[in-house]
Amino acid sequence: MRKFEKSVKLNNVCYDIRGPVMDEANRMIAAGEKILKLNIGNPAPFGFRAPDEIIKAMAENLTSTEGYSDSKGLISAREAIVEYDKTKNIPNVNVDDVYTGNGVSELITLSMQGLLDYGDEILVPAPDYPLWTASVTLAGGTAVHYLCDESSNWYPDVKDIEKKITPRTKGIVIINPNNPTGALYPESILREIVKLAERNDLIIFADEIYDRLIMDGKTHTSIASLAPDCLCLTFNGLSKSHLIAGYRVGWMSISGNKSNATGYIEGIKLLSSMRLCSNVPAQSLIAPALKHLDETRKLVAPGGRVYQQRECIVKLLNDIPGVSVVKPEAAFYCFPKLDTKRFNIHDDERFALDVLRNKKILFTHGGGFHWEVPDHFRIVYLPDIEVLTEAATALGEFLADYRQID
Ligand code: PLP
């Protein structure tokens, strides 16, 4: 009998966010145990509700969105995205340059499939949102990880990027604001990256899905606004800012210098039409959602849930001996560091499993984000303050006498 195996490409995909720790959590849940999930950026289970206007808009549009749309998306949605991009000073985007997707995820995969040949390299941050590395690998390319520097607020290390550019490098991924670190990059760093991209003819892939979840009065700069001479693909969506991760709605705007990218853009168009179109009722939310940003702003302002939860978790984590965390400025993640000597930690996945089994708390170890040293883990601080406090207390108790055995 013929055996049906995973393809070689799929075997090489490291997408550790699903892995032994997740399998163990599922086993425990099936056995009736209650687990606190701090592992996934999905706001709805933690009592976050989408703004009423958004739900109303979707309900009103249901009957007019029963059919397929244009494969790039509804004109009304793409016009709203063009207007949004103008507010971010992203140059020369018109409705033809915008593609809607079933979440940003689909478009990340599509953008890599349309570009990469075997041996092509894409610079991806470490730590990364692992779908980027997985998509590069699945498309036949090689993800080359550049460092983000914890001692500089987790900003990209531009020297490291420069060192890793080779004749096979086709593009660079910038995740800003960042998952898993919650970092927001300053314009000066973005400008340095643009210079490198210009000098080396790199495509910029800018994942900006958290650009509306910024704290401390800071503002977000779209890297595409600084790079009119580069080809830029900017990714954004409503999963996080409008708390509707389950509706699956995202988009991608192509900006800057498109003159040498006719073939690539044809490929993107082809792949876009092969999936017919993205979820049409969800597309109908884009225009109203991009006008209703007040509720999002309230979440990240002092007194808002995301802001208060950040203040709480950062303090609690930094109070645990052997744990330190850089204060995130955006999104709802932080990426704490463990003192590996103190805890004798040599395997971060093992650490995550030990916490899960002992304290029934699920989080993702740093390796799941292509962070090579076993000294970090990611916390999603979406649960309310009471739950976060319980979790941090339990973690502190666990670590008080934890020593990893070889
Ligand atoms: N990009 C980043 C940086 C993310 O953190 C996520 C989800 O967590 C995504 C993309 C995927 O978002 P979507 O729900 O739009 O597919």
Short mmCIF file of all heavy atoms in Angstrom, two decimals, residues 103-105 108 129 175 179 207 209-210 239-240 248 333, ligand 1:
data_model
loop_
_atom_site.label_atom_id
_atom_site.label_comp_id
_atom_site.label_asym_id
_atom_site.label_seq_id
_atom_site.Cartn_x
_atom_site.Cartn_y
_atom_site.Cartn_z
N GLY A 103 -7.91 37.02 6.99
CA GLY A 103 -6.88 37.34 7.97
C GLY A 103 -5.58 37.68 7.24
O GLY A 103 -5.40 37.39 6.05
N VAL A 104 -4.68 38.32 8.00
CA VAL A 104 -3.36 38.62 7.46
C VAL A 104 -2.64 37.30 7.12
O VAL A 104 -1.88 37.21 6.15
CB VAL A 104 -2.55 39.44 8.50
CG1 VAL A 104 -1.08 39.48 8.17
CG2 VAL A 104 -3.12 40.85 8.62
N SER A 105 -2.94 36.26 7.90
CA SER A 105 -2.25 34.97 7.73
C SER A 105 -2.25 34.49 6.28
O SER A 105 -1.22 34.11 5.73
CB SER A 105 -2.91 33.89 8.60
OG SER A 105 -2.98 34.32 9.92
N ILE A 108 0.05 36.54 4.09
CA ILE A 108 1.49 36.29 4.34
C ILE A 108 1.92 35.08 3.49
O ILE A 108 2.91 35.12 2.76
CB ILE A 108 1.76 36.03 5.84
CG1 ILE A 108 1.56 37.31 6.66
CG2 ILE A 108 3.16 35.46 6.05
CD1 ILE A 108 1.68 37.13 8.17
N TYR A 129 6.96 36.33 14.67
CA TYR A 129 5.65 35.70 14.66
C TYR A 129 5.84 34.51 13.72
O TYR A 129 6.13 34.69 12.53
CB TYR A 129 4.58 36.67 14.16
CG TYR A 129 3.23 36.00 14.04
CD1 TYR A 129 2.61 35.48 15.15
CD2 TYR A 129 2.61 35.86 12.81
CE1 TYR A 129 1.40 34.82 15.04
CE2 TYR A 129 1.39 35.21 12.69
CZ TYR A 129 0.80 34.69 13.82
OH TYR A 129 -0.39 34.04 13.72
N ILE A 175 8.16 43.26 11.63
CA ILE A 175 6.90 43.12 12.39
C ILE A 175 6.87 44.25 13.41
O ILE A 175 7.57 44.21 14.43
CB ILE A 175 6.80 41.74 13.08
CG1 ILE A 175 6.99 40.62 12.04
CG2 ILE A 175 5.46 41.60 13.80
CD1 ILE A 175 7.07 39.21 12.64
N ASN A 179 5.08 41.16 17.62
CA ASN A 179 4.68 39.97 18.35
C ASN A 179 5.89 39.04 18.23
O ASN A 179 6.33 38.79 17.09
CB ASN A 179 3.45 39.34 17.69
CG ASN A 179 2.99 38.08 18.35
OD1 ASN A 179 3.49 37.71 19.39
ND2 ASN A 179 2.03 37.41 17.74
N ASP A 207 4.56 43.86 8.55
CA ASP A 207 3.39 43.32 9.24
C ASP A 207 3.03 44.32 10.34
O ASP A 207 3.73 44.45 11.34
CB ASP A 207 3.75 41.95 9.83
CG ASP A 207 2.57 41.28 10.52
OD1 ASP A 207 1.59 41.97 10.86
OD2 ASP A 207 2.64 40.05 10.75
N ILE A 209 -0.14 44.65 11.90
CA ILE A 209 -1.49 44.34 12.39
C ILE A 209 -1.79 44.98 13.75
O ILE A 209 -2.95 45.19 14.09
CB ILE A 209 -1.72 42.80 12.42
CG1 ILE A 209 -3.20 42.48 12.65
CG2 ILE A 209 -0.84 42.10 13.42
CD1 ILE A 209 -3.58 41.04 12.40
N TYR A 210 -0.74 45.34 14.51
CA TYR A 210 -0.98 45.95 15.83
C TYR A 210 -0.83 47.47 15.81
O TYR A 210 -0.67 48.08 16.87
CB TYR A 210 0.00 45.34 16.86
CG TYR A 210 -0.21 43.85 17.03
CD1 TYR A 210 0.63 42.94 16.40
CD2 TYR A 210 -1.27 43.36 17.77
CE1 TYR A 210 0.43 41.57 16.51
CE2 TYR A 210 -1.49 41.99 17.88
CZ TYR A 210 -0.64 41.11 17.25
OH TYR A 210 -0.86 39.75 17.37
N SER A 239 -8.34 41.63 13.23
CA SER A 239 -8.42 40.59 14.27
C SER A 239 -8.15 41.15 15.66
O SER A 239 -8.79 40.75 16.63
CB SER A 239 -7.39 39.49 14.01
OG SER A 239 -7.70 38.78 12.86
N LYS A 240 -7.17 42.04 15.74
CA LYS A 240 -6.71 42.49 17.06
C LYS A 240 -7.34 43.83 17.42
O LYS A 240 -7.88 43.99 18.50
CB LYS A 240 -5.19 42.61 17.06
CG LYS A 240 -4.47 41.47 16.38
CD LYS A 240 -4.57 40.16 17.14
CE LYS A 240 -3.91 39.04 16.33
NZ LYS A 240 -3.73 37.81 17.07
N ARG A 248 -11.98 36.60 10.52
CA ARG A 248 -10.97 36.42 9.50
C ARG A 248 -11.00 37.56 8.47
O ARG A 248 -11.53 37.41 7.37
CB ARG A 248 -11.10 35.05 8.79
CG ARG A 248 -11.23 33.86 9.71
CD ARG A 248 -10.14 33.78 10.78
NE ARG A 248 -8.81 33.67 10.25
CZ ARG A 248 -7.82 34.49 10.65
NH1 ARG A 248 -8.02 35.46 11.53
NH2 ARG A 248 -6.62 34.34 10.15
N TYR A 333 1.32 41.53 24.22
CA TYR A 333 2.27 40.45 24.51
C TYR A 333 3.46 41.00 25.27
O TYR A 333 3.82 42.17 25.10
CB TYR A 333 2.83 39.86 23.21
CG TYR A 333 1.79 39.47 22.21
CD1 TYR A 333 1.55 40.27 21.09
CD2 TYR A 333 1.05 38.32 22.38
CE1 TYR A 333 0.58 39.92 20.17
CE2 TYR A 333 0.08 37.95 21.46
CZ TYR A 333 -0.15 38.76 20.36
OH TYR A 333 -1.11 38.40 19.46
N1 PLP B 1 0.78 38.97 12.16
C1 PLP B 1 1.06 39.01 13.48
C2 PLP B 1 2.28 39.73 13.93
C3 PLP B 1 0.23 38.36 14.40
O1 PLP B 1 0.53 38.40 15.70
C4 PLP B 1 -0.91 37.66 13.93
C5 PLP B 1 -1.78 36.91 14.85
O2 PLP B 1 -1.51 36.74 16.02
C6 PLP B 1 -1.15 37.65 12.54
C7 PLP B 1 -0.29 38.33 11.69
C8 PLP B 1 -2.32 36.92 11.96
O3 PLP B 1 -3.47 37.68 12.05
P1 PLP B 1 -4.82 37.33 11.32
O4 PLP B 1 -5.81 37.00 12.38
O5 PLP B 1 -5.18 38.59 10.58
O6 PLP B 1 -4.58 36.20 10.39
#
